[in-house]
Amino acid sequence: MFKHHLWLLLIPFIGLLWVPFYNFHDPVLFGFPFFYWYQLAWVPVTALLTFIAYRSFPDEE
């Protein structure tokens, strides 16, 4: 019933799967090359998507 939210867990996997997609120096953010801050940006995004997928399931007793 709520399994469609599990597809959210594939988004970080797809976003980080292909390294040539984000293997660049520019744009630089706070002194970090794009390669590093792109990966670091996925940490809170992944946590949020995992939280949404987790909360989509009803509590089981």
Side-chain angles (χ1 to χ4, degrees):
M1 178 172 176
F2 296 99
K3 291 185 178 184
H4 60 277
H5 285 99
L6 292 177
W7 288 101
L8 293 174
L9 300 176
L10 285 178
I11 294 172
F13 178 73
I14 294 169
L16 293 170
L17 181 65
W18 195 33
V19 176
F21 176 70
Y22 56 90
N23 190 14
F24 301 107
H25 184 269
D26 293 325
V28 177
L29 181 68
F30 305 115
F32 289 98
F34 179 74
F35 179 77
Y36 293 112
W37 70 258
Y38 177 80
Q39 293 179 74
L40 290 173
W42 275 104
V43 173
V45 171
T46 301
L48 177 66
L49 294 175
T50 303
F51 176 75
I52 292 170
Y54 173 76
R55 296 296 293 177
S56 68
F57 284 96
D59 292 333
E60 295 183 19
E61 295 181 22

